[in-house]
């Protein structure tokens, strides 16, 4: 029993491949808690960053710099009255948020946070993620239809039309990345870990492969994924000015926050696909020409260093806090938060932890970059009109996706193709 | 390998517990004070006079049909992409013929106006 548990630690594979249900469950629980914390952090960051983009302060009252605001909101939503409209279809109304949450979380099953840090490694990983995340449309339609109200129905119809339209462009972009995995070894792979290892073997991130083809495919995906998650500037399903709140107009309290949780989890999931397919997954920058033990050691200190910088910023904020009695609690709170961050940084200096945490750090950093992009888009771009949205999906992204796919295939087979053409001409 | 697929059910169950479990636990401490006006569908303050599940524009159906066609095509591309280098020129030619037929269809629906949202 104990051997089965400890044996996994030295196996160098994922729990799913090793067949250890125990470790798979541990990973699943850690990922579930991690996503929930990430969503809470995103809630705070989004308000703060948006506020600073609009030269406002954002939440400042609950905790130092509003750090405890999302927790206060979560508590409020948990103990708020839960209204189910009289004419709603009760069972469907009840199960819609649960379905949305289940699909959004289950996609994280195959996300590779590191070579061994994924719950399982399926040989259909990318297809699994695409499939499960498009099941989310089902939950949205259920929510809109069961509410029996005009705004939710319109919102859910729009939302599903938009999601299915952009899924095609997304699929085509993914195909052209999968195609690149087969270039060196002959047979490619759909496994998320396999795709990152193919990028490692080919010594390049796929975004820079066949420049600019990889970059264009990535661009198509990056646009489609914003539309797929119903975020600004494609947030028509919840366009406040016309549809109140879209498909979740009738939802209140914790049911509403489940939709919120699922939306952010879906954003994290599609960002993970983009990072895995084009940005080298868990690989650190420049593993090819900054190689060697000296660079390895230098790069392994970066996670701790990043935390020390954050801790230093918090402590600087503590020192610069106005010295008045009303702010004393906030000052002490910020000081404690900074100290905690520093302590976590110290833990990351331990060699055994340092080696294991590197992969996760780079993966999370790349995903965090996409999360920042989402907020940035929301702060800068005006919302599209619905006909423009469909036009972009069907008439711009789809042809570009197809053209990039064909061009990638031609360039990938260039030697054979050129020889065949020369043969035909002669 | 079948053991790779077992965690799917564990994860789905954990996610179900997160959603349904939290709803069930906090059901005990939530205030419950429903009355008729509160339970009406939201209609910007107007009393709704008909069911919301009426007829809506046919465009949504067209989008759904087009989605099925193109998504099946995308799924068909995946096996070829995985074996791309192995299938070589033969696979490329076959796929170009397939995509050619598809592109002709795409141009046709564009000309027919199925992609316009009026």
């Amino acid at each position: 029993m104990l051997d089965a548990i400890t044996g996994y630690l030295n196996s160098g594979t994922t729990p799913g491949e090793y067949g250890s249900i125990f470790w798979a469950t541990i990973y699943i629980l850690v990922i579930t808690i991690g996503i929930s914390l990430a969503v809470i952090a995103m809630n705070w960051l989004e308000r703060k960053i948006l506020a600073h983009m609009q030269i406002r302060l954002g939440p400042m009252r609950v905790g130092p710099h509003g750090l405890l605001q999302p927790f206060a909101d979560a508590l409020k939503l948990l103990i708020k009255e839960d209204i189910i409209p009289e004419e709603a279809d009760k069972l469907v109304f009840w199960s819609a948020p649960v379905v949305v949450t289940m699909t959004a979380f289950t996609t994280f099953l195959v996300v590779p946070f590191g070579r061994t840090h994924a719950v399982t490694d399926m040989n259909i990983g990318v297809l699994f993620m695409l499939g499960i995340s498009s099941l989310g449309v089902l939950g949205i339609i259920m929510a809109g239809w069961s509410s029996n109200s005009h705004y939710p129905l319109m919102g859910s119809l729009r939302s599903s039309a938009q999601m299915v339209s952009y899924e095609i462009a997304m699929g085509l972009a993914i195909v052209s990345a999968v195609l690149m995995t087969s270039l060196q070894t002959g047979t490619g792979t759909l496994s998320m870990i396999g795709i990152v290892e193919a990028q490692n073997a080919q010594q390049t991130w796929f975004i820079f492969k066949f420049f600019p083809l990889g970059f264009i495919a990535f661009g198509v995906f990056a646009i489609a994924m914003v539309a797929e998650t119903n975020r600004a500037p494609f947030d028509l399903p919840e366009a406040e000015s016309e549809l109140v709140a879209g498909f979740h107009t009738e939802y209140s309290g914790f049911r509403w926050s489940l939709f919120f949780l699922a939306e952010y989890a879906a954003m994290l999931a599609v960002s993970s696909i983009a990072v895995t397919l084009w940005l080298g997954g868990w690989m650190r920058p420049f593993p090819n020409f900054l190689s060697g033990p000296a660079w390895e050691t230098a790069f392994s200190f970066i996670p701790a260093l990043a935390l020390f910088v954050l801790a230093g910023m918090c402590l600087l904020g503590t020192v610069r806090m106005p010295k008045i009695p009303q702010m004393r609690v906030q000052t002490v709170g910020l000081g404690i938060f900074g100290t905690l961050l520093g302590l976590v940084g110290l833990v990351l200096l331990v060699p055994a932890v340092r080696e294991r945490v590197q992969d996760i750090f780079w993966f999370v950093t790349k995903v965090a970059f996409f999360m920042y992009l989402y907020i940035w888009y929301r702060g800068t771009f005006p919302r599209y009109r619905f006909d423009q949205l469909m036009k972009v999906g069907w008439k711009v992204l789809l042809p570009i996706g197809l053209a990039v796919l064909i061009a990638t295939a031609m360039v990938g087979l260039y030697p054979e193709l050129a020889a065949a053409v020369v043969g035909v001409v002669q | 390998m079948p053991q790779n697929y077992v965690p799917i059910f564990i994860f789905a169950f954990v996610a179900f517990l997160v959603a349904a479990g939290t709803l069930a636990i906090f059901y005990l401490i939530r205030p419950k004070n429903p009355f008729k006006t509160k339970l009406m569908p939201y209609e910007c303050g107007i009393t709704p006079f008909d069911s919301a599940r009426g007829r809506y524009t046919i465009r949504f159906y067209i989008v759904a049909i087009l989605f099925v066609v193109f998504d099946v095509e995308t799924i068909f591309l995946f096996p070829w992409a995985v074996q791309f280098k192995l299938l070589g020129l033969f696979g490329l030619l076959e796929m170009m013929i397939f995509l050619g037929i598809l592109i002709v269809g795409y141009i046709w629906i564009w000309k027919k106006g199925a992609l316009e949202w009026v």
Side-chain angles (χ1 to χ4, degrees):
Chain A
M1 181 66 193
L2 204 66
D3 283 347
I5 290 172
T6 51
Y8 160 70
L9 285 176
N10 302 316
S11 65
T13 53
T14 57
E17 282 167 286
Y18 190 71
S20 166
I21 299 291
F22 173 78
W23 280 103
T25 315
I26 296 276
Y27 268 61
I28 286 167
L29 289 177
V30 168
I31 289 176
T32 312
I33 294 167
I35 297 167
S36 312
L37 284 179
V39 170
I40 286 174
M42 269 295 290
N43 184 346
W44 179 77
L45 278 173
E46 177 155 23
R47 289 191 202 175
K48 252 346 208 193
I49 295 172
L50 266 182
H52 283 281
M53 280 176 182
Q54 298 163 349
I55 325 182
R56 293 183 288 121
L57 282 174
M60 284 299 276
R61 295 299 171 105
V62 190
H65 286 267
L67 268 173
L68 297 178
Q69 185 75 48
F71 292 98
D73 286 345
L75 195 66
K76 181 208 102 177
L77 287 166
L78 279 171
I79 57 176
K80 200 177 162 184
E81 183 177 358
D82 185 25
I83 302 163
I84 298 183
E86 213 167 16
E87 290 173 43
D89 190 322
K90 300 280 188 307
L91 182 66
V92 183
F93 191 86
W94 185 89
S95 50
V98 178
V99 167
V100 172
T101 319
M102 276 171 76
T103 54
F105 274 65
T106 314
T107 37
F108 281 89
L109 194 74
V110 288
V111 170
F113 294 94
R115 175 60 192 87
T116 59
H117 304 297
V119 179
T120 182
D121 179 31
M122 287 183 225
N123 51 6
I124 51 157
V126 178
L127 279 181
F128 176 81
M129 280 200 91
L130 260 185
I132 297 285
S133 61
S134 37
L135 276 183
V137 180
L138 209 68
I140 286 173
I141 294 178
M142 282 161 73
W145 185 82
S146 68
S147 302
N148 199 3
S149 172
H150 285 101
Y151 296 116
L153 186 71
M154 284 312 295
S156 74
L157 283 173
R158 273 188 182 187
S159 178
S160 46
Q162 165 180 348
M163 280 164 97
V164 297
S165 301
Y166 280 79
E167 205 158 293
I168 294 156
M170 207 166 169
L172 286 171
I174 289 177
V175 171
S176 61
V178 169
L179 202 144
M180 288 173 182
T181 60
S182 76
L183 286 178
Q184 205 174 42
T185 46
T187 52
T189 176
L190 285 170
S191 125
M192 299 285 268
I193 288 178
I195 288 169
V196 179
E197 279 177 345
Q199 297 181 52
N200 195 16
Q202 297 184 22
Q203 299 276 314
T204 175
W205 291 0
F206 283 159
I207 186 172
F208 300 120
K209 185 93 181 171
F210 300 147
F211 194 83
L213 291 179
F215 191 76
I216 297 173
F218 169 76
V220 169
F221 187 90
I223 296 169
M225 81 185 200
V226 179
E228 186 77 11
T229 46
N230 297 331
R231 292 284 299 181
F234 303 113
D235 59 345
L236 285 142
E238 32 202 298
E240 299 93 341
S241 47
E242 15 179 330
L243 287 181
V244 191
F247 60 87
H248 53 60
T249 304
E250 295 290 351
Y251 282 84
S252 63
F254 191 65
R255 279 176 220 280
W256 174 81
S257 60
L258 281 179
F259 280 115
F260 183 84
L261 189 71
E263 183 187 324
Y264 280 79
M267 281 158 65
L268 287 166
V270 285
S271 306
S272 321
I273 302 183
V275 167
T276 313
L277 288 179
W278 282 283
L279 297 185
W282 66 80
M283 285 197 289
R284 65 178 172 82
F286 309 115
N288 46 357
F289 56 85
L290 297 185
S291 58
W295 280 111
E296 289 293 335
T297 323
F299 269 102
S300 71
F301 280 107
I302 288 184
L305 206 66
L307 274 175
F308 285 144
V309 170
L310 279 180
M313 280 159 74
C314 281
L315 294 177
L316 191 70
T318 318
V319 177
R320 291 184 57 203
M321 209 59 123
K323 306 253 174 325
I324 46 174
Q326 292 94 317
M327 298 295 273
R328 188 172 294 145
V329 180
Q330 305 236 349
T331 315
V332 173
L334 195 60
I336 293 173
F337 186 67
T339 319
L340 276 179
L341 283 179
L343 286 178
V344 175
L346 278 180
V347 171
L348 293 190
L349 282 179
V350 178
V353 181
R354 209 168 67 198
E355 302 301 324
R356 279 163 202 259
V357 107
Q358 261 200 79
D359 291 353
I360 304 177
F361 173 78
W362 287 112
F363 191 88
V364 169
T365 308
K366 288 169 188 173
V367 172
F369 167 72
F370 277 98
M371 289 292 137
Y372 182 75
L373 275 188
Y374 270 115
I375 301 171
W376 197 357
Y377 292 158
R378 190 172 161 190
T380 42
F381 292 140
R383 185 178 290 140
Y384 272 83
R385 220 169 51 212
F386 197 69
D387 61 320
Q388 293 171 330
L389 175 96
M390 296 312 256
K391 198 175 159 191
V392 170
W394 285 101
K395 293 188 178 176
V396 180
L397 290 185
L398 199 155
I400 293 178
L402 263 177
V404 168
L405 175 64
I406 293 171
T408 315
M410 298 250 180
V411 177
L413 272 183
Y414 179 68
E416 290 93 327
L417 204 63
V421 169
V422 168
V424 168
V425 168
Q426 282 170 352
Chain B
M1 280 175 288
Q3 80 256 28
N4 279 355
Y5 299 89
V6 177
I8 300 175
F9 304 105
I10 305 177
F11 211 147
F13 183 66
V14 168
F16 176 79
L17 277 190
V18 167
T22 326
L23 272 176
I25 291 168
F26 282 88
Y27 176 77
L28 301 172
I29 58 169
R30 273 197 295 258
K32 287 172 279 287
N33 185 21
F35 48 88
K36 185 129 181 47
T37 335
K38 196 190 263 178
L39 296 181
M40 273 196 326
Y42 178 76
E43 200 88 52
C44 296
I46 308 166
T47 315
F49 52 85
D50 64 340
S51 168
R53 293 169 193 150
R55 292 157 50 151
Y56 41 83
T57 171
I58 195 152
R59 292 281 150 195
F60 288 112
Y61 296 93
I62 294 179
V63 169
I65 292 168
L66 291 180
F67 164 71
V68 171
V69 173
F70 281 93
D71 209 43
V72 169
E73 162 247 326
T74 317
I75 294 302
F76 186 57
L77 288 174
F78 270 99
W80 163 68
V82 171
Q83 299 290 351
F84 170 65
K85 202 73 177 181
L86 202 74
L87 292 172
L89 271 186
F90 169 74
L92 183 69
L93 203 67
E94 289 277 296
M95 261 311 148
M96 287 306 122
I97 293 167
F98 170 71
L99 283 179
I101 296 168
L102 193 97
I103 289 169
V104 170
Y106 175 69
I107 293 169
W108 184 74
I109 56 167
W110 188 325
K111 288 276 173 231
K112 272 283 174 185
L115 304 179
E116 308 295 330
W117 193 278
V118 206

